[in-house]
Amino acid sequence: MDRAEVDSRIRELIEPFNKKGVAVTDDTSFQHDLEFDSLTVMDFVAAIEDEFDIIISMNQQAEIEKYGQLVDAVTKMVDK
């Protein structure tokens, strides 16, 4: 699965969590731009894990601050 396909699927998943309708780019911050709290992050990560049949560790979650980093990380995990 290429990055563009992963990006497209994650964009569909993020819609219900994007309460303010922020235009999501690779530089969009989950904490600052989207204002995700810890519960929202857990729900969003669970949705991604279910969609792609992957596990995102707590350490990986801590390193991912922006949307583009998430797409890159998921793309790498799906390619393994």
Side-chain angles (χ1 to χ4, degrees):
M1 184 177 307
D2 67 5
R3 188 183 193 280
E5 187 176 349
V6 170
D7 179 38
S8 175
R9 288 170 67 179
I10 293 176
R11 283 184 187 277
E12 289 177 21
L13 293 173
I14 205 170
E15 278 304 312
F17 298 97
N18 187 358
K19 303 283 189 221
K20 294 188 170 196
V22 173
V24 177
T25 69
D26 279 355
D27 287 329
T28 300
S29 163
F30 293 106
Q31 182 177 7
H32 300 294
D33 298 323
L34 296 170
E35 298 179 6
F36 280 14
D37 60 18
S38 58
L39 182 59
T40 304
V41 169
M42 286 176 47
D43 289 343
F44 181 52
V45 168
I48 291 171
E49 290 175 334
D50 290 346
E51 175 73 17
F52 293 97
D53 194 27
I54 59 174
I55 302 281
I56 303 174
S57 73
M58 295 300 279
N59 288 343
Q60 287 171 308
Q61 290 178 40
E63 293 174 4
I64 297 171
E65 296 176 0
K66 298 189 178 201
Y67 179 81
Q69 292 174 308
L70 173 65
V71 174
D72 290 341
V74 171
T75 301
K76 286 179 189 172
M77 285 184 244
V78 171
D79 281 346
K80 286 186 178 179

